[in-house]
Amino acid sequence: MRGAPGELSSARIVGLLAATLAILAIFGAGNPFKAFAGWTSGGGETVRMQPTRLDPAHADVTCGKDLLGSLAGVPTPDPGRHRIVFFGNSQQYTASLPRGATVVADHEATIASDVFGAALERRAPGAYTVYNASAPNQTPVEVLWQALYWFKVASVTPAVIVVQSSFDSYRKAGIRPKYQELLVEPRFAAALAAFNRPDAPWAGDFLAAQHDREVRKTEVVTAKEERWTPEVGLRGALEHLPLYRERAARKENFLLDLYSVRVLALGISPTTRRHIAGQALTQSFAAMTDLLRLARASGARVLVYNAPVNPAVSMFYQDEYDAYVERLRALTAAESAAFVDLAAAVPSDRWGYWVDGPDPIHFNEEGHRVLAARLDEAFGPQLATLAHEF
Amino acid sequence: MSFTSYTYLAFLLVAVVLVRLTSGRVREVTLLLLSLVFYAAWDVRFVPVLLAVGVFTYFAAHAVARRDGDAAVSRRRLAWLAWSIAGVLGVLAVFKYSTMLVELVNLLPFARLPVPNLVLPLGISFFTFECVSYLLDVYKGGKELVPLRRFLLFPAFWPHMVAGPILRIKEFAPQLEAATPARAAEILAGIDRLLIGWLKKLVLANALAPLVDQGFSNGAVANSAIDDWVLALAFGLQIYFDFSSYTDIAIGSARMLGFKFPENFNLPYHADSPTEFWNRWHMTLSRWIRDYVFFPLNLRAGRRVWLRYVYLVLVMALVGLWHGAGLCFVLWGAWHGALMVGHRLLQGPARRLPEWTEKPLAVAGRLATLALVNAGWILFRSPTVGQAGRMLRTMFTLRGLKPAFSVNDYLVVILALGAYLAVEPLLKRFVDRDPLAVDYTRLRFWLRPLAYGVALDLVFMFDKSNVAFIYFQF
């Protein structure tokens, strides 16, 4: 039976409403995005990591607000011990496994900074305490931000910083929310204000981070004070709807799905070669320069190493990579920092598996031992000598 | 009260119910009160500004209205018209341009005027233009909208007050006077439109924002040509999805209340010339400028073609100035004026070309328009003229071709472009249907719950109610 055009019966309106609610209930009952992620990951072959002391699940302790908390738990070095702080990306604290390898139960993989610390202890007993302040995808601009905390706010400032310079990190800039949380510490905010230069290439990121933080603070204050507004009330009511309640997890899974599609369907993975140029590169080098100057002005020694690169992966354009290494070498020389190029330090059989091929960033426990040995070889003697000079 | 907040949804729901329950004078008063509540929810201080402009226009229109009389009466009407338009635009000038004017005066060596720092009342550029068009229409013999409560709804009616569409009295008054409540099919069409707007804003426009913000920051000194072109396209898509989504929500809301607003967009990046672009982009502003500024000037220019071109560039520069009190906006407008003049100059030679060139020329015209219009967005979005000039130089000299943004940034732009090219035409066909001519007994009616479910799921996931619409600042 057909009605007149434009005629919408009450039964159909009620049916539409009921069907929409039913669809929302069905959607809310499961998470198809999660199921899809499970399917595309091929039963866990996407990436497999052996837990470490600073494994990815806990990596955020080194950033922002958690840094403030974790510092409280970090024992102050014994009198006479100097603090060495490692800065870098996730390569510094993860142990990636090759394809097919199984995670060893109840085993915490040892990471390079620990092995390096132990070797240093043998060279200069009682001289140093090593702390690893690396974070996932930590860029030079974020390292500079975090270093400001270490040098201007922390009760015991580092005597030495070991900076891992990974070219992959030079393609990004910006200060992520976790880092912005450092602004809750008034001394950090004051140090930042004194340090910031409007003409610095990274200044825009610093300002944007402060702005973002202000916006978020307002939201947090509003939520905490539970000042009632219609919007707060409505959102509270929506929390009863599973589809709304689970929105953050659903979005995360949805974005992971898009990532899987990108890798598996388009073939664009972390191992895909990409240009590293433009603003992010300029900002990163400027941040690195100011980091070295900040450390030196604070009386700290700076040791820089070029991060190992998986020989089985060709993720950089060679001319850009060579130019980067030369620029880094020149920068460290100009700023009186020690430098060692460890790009080829870790052989290809020490790297893990990442989604669709060899892991371009992370290596396994053995790789960490190799890296630690090379770091010790490059910096150990110098640090042993320095121990008596501080 | 943002259009993408849940508060707005609740407000709209209450409004729809109240409008359906009332009629006549009570309905008009209800709509007016709801409009003022909506405006006060943004900033209660601006309600008097809106009311003052509305009341002033109402009484001024009475003075300029056509009536029998001698030449003296005509002169008096004209004088009233001039003064009343000056009054309305004066309010806009004070709030929007006084800072710029004082800063310009202070460039003189002896001038040291204090720089005013006024907050721009939301939607002032829109409701003042509507009041000016009303005065001009009444002067030309158009009907006055009486009584005052009814007229005040013209500038104040919330769905169009903040960022358009810019209505004309002849579109609005008959609908208000007819007072036909929305039928179920129209309410459904309004809901469709509302959800489309929410998705375009929350998923597409907001996804492009981080790349655009980052790309234009720090003077954009290190961007390569390819990145600046990508940025131009990204901003072009962002502002399209942002502004058209606002329009979708405005039109959808009005539809649910029984009003039909004119469209503001018609696939603008499908235009095959700059002139065509302005027939498809912010269409209600284009026709306002065309009817009230450009046509009268064109008549004055007569057969002096060069003067028409000068007027065209000047008028478009004014369009730029309407968007914001800054040199970048003026240059953006002038850029479009120059493009339109260039297009007109090329039309003559193009007509003399063989017939087979027609199709390739149309394709070339479309691509060139897309490139040049998007290049113009650099002027619109750059914080300084220096930065815009640098970026445009990089783009047109193809300085540096290495893409430096993250892969995901390019993918977001490609996805957004894909959505524009593949989905927008379909949506356009869908929303252009007359809801009162649709057969709702067809089986495909039952696809709606699924579409609504997917849309709401995406809205929840990408919900970020504190991100303002770009056009709210104008």
Side-chain angles (χ1 to χ4, degrees):
Chain A
M1 194 178 72
R2 288 196 178 278
E7 196 177 290
L8 194 53
S9 65
S10 303
R12 279 188 177 258
I13 295 171
V14 172
L16 175 69
L17 197 64
T20 304
L21 289 174
I23 292 280
L24 291 179
I26 292 167
F27 280 9
N31 185 344
F33 307 117
K34 196 174 180 179
F36 182 75
W39 178 66
T40 53
S41 70
E45 280 304 332
T46 316
V47 60
R48 204 166 278 189
M49 297 275 184
Q50 182 67 41
T52 66
R53 182 172 59 82
L54 293 171
D55 69 9
H58 302 103
D60 282 347
V61 299
T62 55
C63 313
K65 187 170 82 179
D66 297 332
L67 173 65
L68 300 173
S70 69
L71 278 178
V74 173
T76 307
D78 296 337
R81 273 186 184 263
H82 306 292
R83 177 174 278 167
I84 297 179
V85 178
F86 272 67
F87 292 110
N89 64 15
S90 57
Q91 189 184 70
Q92 295 242 40
Y93 59 81
T94 54
S96 179
L97 297 175
R99 189 170 201 181
T102 45
V103 176
V104 182
D106 300 328
H107 171 64
E108 212 169 55
T110 311
I111 54 177
S113 54
D114 291 342
V115 184
F116 176 76
L120 201 56
E121 185 65 21
R122 287 193 293 275
R123 283 183 186 274
Y128 296 105
T129 301
V130 173
Y131 186 83
N132 192 329
S134 301
N137 295 314
Q138 186 163 238
T139 65
V141 177
E142 286 174 335
V143 170
L144 176 64
W145 176 278
Q146 198 194 142
L148 259 177
Y149 181 88
W150 284 95
F151 286 116
K152 300 290 184 190
V153 183
S155 54
V156 181
T157 55
V160 178
I161 60 169
V162 180
V163 183
Q164 173 234 39
S165 177
S166 169
F167 192 38
D168 187 54
S169 304
Y170 283 62
R171 66 188 165 90
K172 289 169 252 166
I175 311 280
R176 286 169 291 174
K178 280 276 183 186
Y179 290 84
Q180 295 166 16
E181 293 301 317
L182 277 180
L183 288 164
V184 299
E185 168 60 58
R187 287 176 299 156
F188 178 77
L192 193 74
F195 185 75
N196 210 353
R197 298 193 321 269
D199 60 330
W202 40 260
D205 283 346
F206 274 34
L207 281 176
Q210 290 171 75
H211 174 73
D212 283 0
R213 163 72 191 147
E214 280 305 309
V215 170
R216 225 184 342 275
K217 197 168 75 182
T218 315
E219 287 170 359
V220 170
V221 167
T222 310
K224 272 191 180 161
E225 286 177 352
E226 288 185 350
R227 199 186 66 192
W228 194 89
T229 63
E231 190 68 13
V232 170
L234 287 166
R235 283 172 187 273
L238 277 171
E239 290 288 349
H240 296 291
L241 197 65
L243 194 64
Y244 183 81
R245 199 170 50 237
E246 300 297 326
R247 64 195 182 283
R250 292 173 78 83
K251 184 180 180 185
E252 194 178 323
N253 288 131
F254 177 71
L255 295 178
L256 274 175
D257 290 347
L258 288 182
Y259 179 78
S260 296
V261 169
R262 195 195 90 177
V263 174
L264 299 171
L266 302 178
I268 305 170
S269 74
T271 57
T272 307
R273 206 151 58 139
R274 74 279 312 270
H275 287 290
I276 298 183
Q279 279 218 81
L281 181 67
T282 306
Q283 285 171 277
S284 297
F285 263 113
M288 191 60 98
T289 308
D290 284 309
L291 169 71
L292 301 191
R293 288 178 184 166
L294 170 70
R296 213 173 47 164
S298 308
R301 301 288 172 146
V302 185
L303 313 174
V304 180
Y305 76 93
N306 185 29
V309 174
N310 188 341
V313 175
S314 168
M315 64 187 296
F316 305 124
Y317 284 87
Q318 199 55 46
D319 58 331
E320 289 177 5
Y321 188 75
D322 293 343
Y324 146 78
V325 176
E326 272 321 297
R327 201 169 160 186
L328 191 62
R329 199 186 296 279
L331 170 64
T332 48
E335 300 299 331
S336 310
F339 174 73
V340 60
D341 184 356
L342 298 180
V346 180
S348 59
D349 60 346
R350 301 283 190 268
W351 297 73
Y353 180 79
W354 184 271
V355 187
D356 68 337
D359 191 324
I361 302 289
H362 316 101
F363 36 75
N364 63 12
E365 196 170 3
E366 278 306 304
H368 276 277
R369 288 188 198 286
V370 173
L371 173 63
R374 297 296 304 275
L375 284 173
D376 180 57
E377 195 181 302
F379 301 138
Q382 186 186 353
L383 287 174
T385 313
L386 275 176
H388 307 293
E389 291 179 12
F390 279 120
Chain B
M1 195 191 309
S2 166
F3 263 10
T4 52
S5 66
Y6 298 111
T7 315
Y8 179 69
L9 278 192
F11 172 82
L12 186 61
L13 186 69
V14 171
V16 170
V17 171
L18 286 178
V19 167
R20 283 192 77 84
L21 290 177
T22 53
S23 60
R25 189 186 303 176
V26 179
R27 180 174 178 261
E28 287 165 11
V29 171
T30 305
L31 278 175
L32 183 59
L33 286 176
L34 285 167
S35 297
L36 296 179
V37 166
F38 177 84
Y39 201 47
W42 285 102
D43 196 329
V44 74
R45 291 173 299 169
F46 299 142
V47 174
V49 179
L50 172 69
L51 287 175
V53 171
V55 170
F56 173 79
T57 305
Y58 178 78
F59 288 108
H62 194 62
V64 304
R66 180 170 289 182
R67 60 181 69 88
D68 293 334
D70 55 13
V73 172
S74 293
R75 274 200 303 277
R76 219 168 25 244
R77 281 178 56 230
L78 188 61
W80 264 108
L81 177 71
W83 282 111
S84 54
I85 289 178
V88 173
L89 291 182
V91 175
L92 178 65
V94 165
F95 281 102
K96 195 162 177 173
Y97 302 109
S98 55
T99 304
M100 183 185 78
L101 288 173
V102 170
E103 281 173 351
L104 282 176
V105 170
N106 280 349
L107 290 176
L108 298 169
F110 51 84
R112 289 286 179 276
L113 295 173
V115 180
N117 186 20
L118 295 172
V119 182
L120 192 68
L122 200 68
I124 190 167
S125 306
F126 291 87
F127 66 71
T128 49
F129 263 39
E130 284 171 336
C131 286
V132 168
S133 78
Y134 175 68
L135 288 167
L136 284 163
D137 287 350
V138 169
Y139 176 77
K140 283 190 234 161
K143 206 176 133 192
E144 285 178 74
L145 183 59
V146 288
L148 180 62
R149 65 161 193 282
R150 188 177 280 178
F151 170 75
L152 283 178
L153 264 174
F154 175 54
F157 188 39
W158 81 88
H160 75 105
M161 178 246 288
V162 177
I166 301 172
L167 297 184
R168 301 272 277 271
I169 197 68
K170 64 182 179 195
E171 290 163 335
F172 187 70
Q175 298 189 59
L176 192 61
E177 283 160 354
T180 320
R183 291 169 62 177
E186 289 176 303
I187 292 178
L188 202 61
I191 293 171
D192 294 345
R193 202 70 194 261
L194 205 83
L195 278 174
I196 290 170
W198 273 47
L199 286 179
K200 276 158 74 171
K201 169 68 181 165
L202 297 177
V203 181
L204 293 168
N206 288 359
L208 289 159
L211 165 66
V212 171
D213 292 346
Q214 172 67 21
F216 277 91
S217 66
N218 298 320
V221 283
N223 291 355
S224 65
I226 201 158
D227 283 336
D228 279 344
W229 277 109
V230 169
L231 260 186
L233 179 62
F235 182 65
L237 288 166
Q238 185 201 1
I239 196 167
Y240 170 72
F241 283 122
D242 194 280
F243 192 17
S244 71
S245 69
Y246 171 85
T247 306
D248 285 327
I249 299 170
I251 291 175
S253 303
R255 198 82 207 228
M256 292 167 76
L257 295 160
F259 290 84
K260 195 172 175 214
F261 280 0
E263 292 294 334
N264 230 1
F265 295 93
N266 179 19
L267 304 172
Y269 297 130
H270 283 59
D272 54 17
S273 72
T275 310
E276 172 75 359
F277 173 78
W278 280 98
N279 288 330
R280 291 165 171 266
W281 175 272
H282 205 170
M283 290 148 71
T284 54
L285 174 68
S286 296
R287 67 176 189 180
W288 195 100
I289 293 290
R290 184 193 62 207
D291 293 352
Y292 297 113
V293 187
F294 184 65
F295 278 175
L297 284 174
N298 229 17
L299 279 178
R300 266 177 180 276
R303 290 185 178 177
R304 288 167 295 177
V305 178
W306 64 269
L307 191 56
R308 289 190 199 174
Y309 292 162
V310 171
Y311 282 151
L312 185 54
V313 175
L314 285 177
V315 166
M316 290 311 291
L318 269 179
V319 169
L321 189 65
W322 176 85
H323 281 83
L327 191 53
C328 277
F329 289 114
V330 176
L331 290 175
W332 170 75
W335 166 272
H336 275 274
L339 290 181
M340 283 196 248
V341 169
H343 171 241
R344 283 172 198 205
L345 290 173
L346 285 173
Q347 272 179 321
R351 273 192 217 108
R352 289 193 287 275
L353 291 171
E355 203 174 315
W356 65 266
T357 59
E358 204 173 298
K359 271 195 175 166
L361 269 182
V363 173
R366 187 176 283 194
L367 289 175
T369 303
L370 182 68
L372 293 170
V373 163
N374 277 288
W377 289 127
I378 296 287
L379 284 161
F380 193 94
R381 178 62 175 76
S382 291
T384 63
V385 176
Q387 175 171 333
R390 197 168 44 243
M391 291 176 80
L392 286 170
R393 205 163 44 243
T394 304
M395 288 162 72
F396 284 102
T397 56
L398 297 179
R399 204 171 58 199
L401 291 172
K402 284 181 184 170
F405 299 142
S406 105
V407 173
N408 288 342
D409 290 333
Y410 299 112
L411 288 177
V412 166
V413 177
I414 290 169
L415 277 177
L417 184 63
Y420 171 79
L421 291 173
V423 185
E424 274 292 278
L426 297 177
L427 287 178
K428 180 94 188 92
R429 267 176 51 191
F430 178 73
V431 301
D432 279 352
R433 297 179 316 167
D434 178 2
L436 299 178
V438 173
D439 180 1
Y440 291 102
T441 59
R442 290 189 172 213
L443 199 60
R444 66 179 175 211
F445 173 80
W446 296 108
L447 286 176
R448 252 198 179 76
L450 188 64
Y452 285 179
V454 172
L456 283 172
D457 197 6
L458 286 168
V459 162
F460 290 160
M461 282 197 283
F462 289 88
D463 170 32
K464 214 175 175 186
S465 66
N466 59 353
V467 181
F469 287 90
I470 295 174
Y471 256 71
F472 277 20
Q473 61 190 293
F474 302 133

